[in-house]
Amino acid sequence: EELNNLEGQIPEKVKSLIYTLKDHQAENAREYEWRSLQDVANILHLSRSTLIRKLKLEGTKFSAILDETRHHLACWYLLETQTPVAEIAYLLGYKDSSNLGRTFKKWTGQTPAKFRSAHRKSPVRQ
């Protein structure tokens, strides 16, 4: 019955579970962690293959949801914080900033630094 309630909502559930607090409390972003496909499947009481199949039926993949989540968070960190790109790469689960840079350029056509400078809100002048 619980599984039937999730029909049509699996991608949204995965999005909500993929990036979470380590110990249900967070002082800063370093206290968050990325959950694997297997972790999310376990939480949803599904086998890994069933979760993959259900996502496919809804027209997506775990990797696409992960990529979308990372893209959204990367843009937020670049526009809303002063966090260095290397730190953002770490927070998003990349091994180094060059991996984030290559991926970010595929997403936006710009490096993270160029994106930040081009899209950052201008400071309010008094």
Side-chain angles (χ1 to χ4, degrees), residues 24-71:
H24 306 301
Q25 298 176 356
E27 296 292 324
N28 61 53
R30 284 189 170 275
E31 296 181 19
Y32 281 79
E33 66 184 342
W34 293 93
R35 287 188 173 138
S36 69
L37 173 63
Q38 186 62 59
D39 294 337
V40 173
N42 290 344
I43 292 166
L44 294 174
H45 305 288
L46 301 171
S47 70
R48 185 177 182 280
S49 58
T50 299
L51 179 55
I52 290 169
R53 188 177 72 252
K54 289 188 171 292
L55 288 170
K56 186 176 181 180
L57 287 171
E58 298 208 28
T60 192
K61 298 178 192 177
F62 184 83
S63 60
I65 295 170
L66 176 62
D67 198 46
E68 178 185 331
T69 304
R70 284 178 166 165
H71 179 186

